[in-house]
Amino acid sequence: MNFKDFLKDKIPFAVIYFLATAAVILVMYLTLIINKIELMNNNILYAWLISIIFFILFLIYDYLKNRHFYNQLNVMLNAKEDLDNILNIGNCSTHEQEMFKKLLLKTYKIYSERTIKYEETHKEYINFINKWVHQMKTPVSVMNLILQDEINEDNRAVFDSILEENEKLSHGLDMMLCNARVNEFNMDFNVESLNIISIVRNVLNDNKKPLIRSHVFPKVTTDAAITVETDKKWIYFVINQIVVNAIKYSKLKIQDNKYITFKIKAKNSKIILSISDEGIGIPKEDLNRVFNAFFTGKNGRKSDESTGMGMYLAKKICDKLGHEILVESEEGKGSTFSIVFFKGKNLFKF
C-alpha cells in the first residue's frame, strides 16, 4: 500500500475528525457569545490550522509506523513464487495487525493441509489409472493375437471388424493414460536427439492395418535424415494422434485412394514436420477451436469415435516440450498439421 492509497483509507476518519473539530469550535463560539465575550475570527482560523497540522502529523506518523507492514503485504500480493518463501509479515505495530497476521497464517495453514490431501488423493488416482490401463492393455493385446490366429476366409469380415474395434479400445486406453500422465509431465520425460523420420515410420508401422482397411497410403518426403531434440514417447503420441485423426476423417471421404503425406524440412532455426491428409477437412469456423478440450466440431458429429481430447493433449504436450503445433485446412480438401521444432531449443535450452 502506497501513501496515496493510505490517504484514501483515511477519508472517513478525516471527515469524522473535522466534523468533531467543527462541533467543538461551534460549542466554544456559542458559549462565548452567551457569556458576551467577543471571539476574533483569527482565533477560529488558528484553531482550524492547529487542528489540521496535528491531523497531518498524525497521518505521517501512522503511515511510517505501519509502512513495513504495508510493504510486506505488497510483496506478498505481487510475488509469483511459492507463498512459503514470502509469508513473513514480520513485527506488527498494532493489535489489529497482529490479529490479521494470525488469521492469514491460519488460513494458509488450512489451505496447505487441504492441498497436501488433494495431492495425495490425486497421486492415488493417477497410480490407479496407470495400473488399470496397463491391466486392460494386456487382454487387448491377447485378444489381438487370438483374433489374428483364428482369422480365415470364412470369418475374415467379422474378425476384421472385431480387430478394428479392439484397436479403437487400445487407442482409447493410450489416450486415457496420456491424459493421466500429462499433468505429471516433469516426472516423466527424457529429451534427446532423435531422427524424426524413424518416429514417423514407427507410427506408420503401428497403424498399418487401419491404413490398409481405409485405403489410405502414406508418403514420406525428406531431403535427408533430420534430428530434433524432443522426448521420444511424447512426440510419438502427438504424431500418432494426428495420423489416427487423418485416417479417421480420410475414410469418411468417398475416394478410391487417399494419401497421408509427411514432409520434413529445415527452415532457418526451425525444423517443420507437416502431416497432410486428403480427408473431409475442417470447417473454417472450427479451426480456432481444434485444440480445445472436448471440442469435436462439425466433423466430430460425423464420427462416433471423436472425444475432442486427442488434439487438445497433442497441443498440451507440444507446449510442454517447447514445440509448436499448427493447423491449416479447407473443408472438403483435407488438413495439414505442422509440428515446429526449434533448433538448439528444448526444455533445458532457451
Side-chain angles (χ1 to χ4, degrees):
M1 181 186 292
N2 55 35
F3 191 67
K4 184 178 179 180
D5 294 330
F6 172 78
L7 290 178
K8 288 181 181 178
D9 287 346
K10 295 298 180 181
I11 288 176
F13 174 76
V15 171
I16 297 298
Y17 177 81
F18 287 116
L19 285 176
T21 301
V24 170
I25 292 175
L26 180 61
V27 169
M28 291 177 59
Y29 182 72
L30 293 174
T31 300
L32 292 173
I33 289 176
I34 292 171
N35 293 316
K36 297 180 179 180
I37 300 174
E38 184 180 359
L39 180 64
M40 301 288 292
N41 290 333
N42 288 340
N43 291 335
I44 297 175
L45 292 175
Y46 290 149
W48 275 110
L49 181 61
I50 292 171
S51 177
I52 291 171
I53 291 172
F54 274 106
F55 180 72
I56 292 173
L57 290 174
F58 168 76
L59 289 179
I60 294 173
Y61 165 75
D62 191 39
Y63 178 76
L64 292 175
K65 183 181 70 171
N66 298 303
R67 183 173 58 180
H68 177 72
F69 182 79
Y70 296 142
N71 288 339
Q72 288 298 112
L73 291 181
N74 284 331
V75 169
M76 293 172 63
L77 286 172
N78 297 324
K80 297 180 180 179
E81 55 190 284
D82 195 331
L83 282 176
D84 287 330
N85 298 325
I86 62 172
L87 194 60
N88 182 22
I89 296 179
N91 296 328
C92 300
S93 55
T94 66
H95 182 63
E96 179 184 12
Q97 292 176 7
E98 189 66 37
M99 290 181 65
F100 179 79
K101 177 181 177 180
K102 289 179 180 179
L103 178 63
L104 187 62
L105 291 171
K106 184 177 180 180
T107 303
Y108 181 66
K109 182 180 178 182
I110 294 172
Y111 154 80
S112 298
E113 290 174 352
R114 290 183 179 178
T115 301
I116 291 171
K117 289 180 181 178
Y118 167 78
E119 288 176 349
E120 290 175 352
T121 303
H122 181 67
K123 286 179 181 178
E124 290 176 1
Y125 168 76
I126 295 299
N127 289 333
F128 169 75
I129 292 296
N130 288 339
K131 291 179 181 178
W132 182 83
V133 170
H134 284 300
Q135 287 175 352
M136 292 302 102
K137 285 180 73 68
T138 300
V140 167
S141 300
V142 173
M143 286 168 62
N144 268 331
L145 291 173
I146 294 173
L147 290 169
Q148 289 172 14
D149 290 340
E150 296 296 328
I151 288 180
N152 56 52
E153 293 302 323
D154 296 331
N155 58 26
R156 179 172 296 278
V158 175
F159 276 30
D160 279 347
S161 179
I162 296 174
L163 277 169
E164 184 177 358
E165 296 303 317
N166 209 40
E167 287 167 2
K168 293 177 186 177
L169 178 59
S170 179
H171 178 66
L173 290 171
D174 287 336
M175 189 179 298
M176 187 175 182
L177 187 62
C178 175
N179 189 34
R181 287 179 172 177
V182 72
N183 292 322
E184 305 289 335
F185 188 85
N186 292 337
M187 306 291 291
D188 187 27
F189 74 96
N190 178 36
V191 175
E192 54 186 326
S193 294
L194 299 171
N195 182 354
I196 193 63
I197 281 292
S198 66
I199 304 295
V200 169
R201 285 174 179 157
N202 288 340
V203 171
L204 292 175
N205 186 59
D206 291 341
N207 287 279
K208 181 168 56 177
K209 291 178 182 177
L211 285 165
I212 294 171
R213 276 197 305 268
S214 303
H215 303 287
V216 178
F217 303 95
K219 292 193 300 185
V220 180
T221 303
T222 183
D223 296 331
I226 296 179
T227 60
V228 297
E229 292 186 343
T230 188
D231 179 274
K232 184 176 182 179
K233 180 182 66 178
W234 288 111
I235 201 62
Y236 173 93
F237 176 89
V238 174
I239 297 172
N240 185 68
Q241 184 58 48
I242 296 173
V243 171
V244 168
N245 281 358
I247 296 171
K248 178 169 60 178
Y249 293 116
S250 291
K251 71 181 182 182
L252 294 177
K253 189 174 181 180
I254 301 174
Q255 185 177 319
D256 290 337
N257 294 326
K258 290 152 284 190
Y259 293 90
I260 299 177
T261 304
F262 297 81
K263 293 182 180 179
I264 303 169
K265 59 181 180 180
K267 184 179 179 181
N268 298 327
S269 61
K270 302 175 182 178
I271 295 170
I272 303 172
L273 167 63
S274 299
I275 305 172
S276 304
D277 64 64
E278 298 176 355
I280 59 176
I282 303 170
K284 187 177 181 180
E285 62 270 19
D286 289 347
L287 272 176
N288 292 331
R289 296 183 288 173
V290 167
F291 300 112
N292 292 355
F294 303 110
F295 178 75
T296 57
K298 182 179 176 181
N299 288 343
R301 291 186 283 273
K302 298 178 181 178
S303 171
D304 57 1
E305 305 169 27
S306 188
T307 64
M309 287 298 292
M311 296 317 302
Y312 164 75
L313 290 173
K315 176 72 165 62
K316 196 169 184 179
I317 290 167
C318 284
D319 288 344
K320 289 181 177 291
L321 287 171
H323 310 326
E324 188 176 5
I325 184 168
L326 308 169
V327 59
E328 296 177 355
S329 184
E330 186 175 347
E331 192 171 8
K333 293 188 176 180
S335 304
T336 298
F337 284 86
S338 299
I339 304 173
V340 182
F341 303 89
F342 297 92
K343 293 181 181 179
K345 175 183 175 182
N346 57 40
L347 290 176
F348 306 105
K349 299 177 183 178
F350 293 96

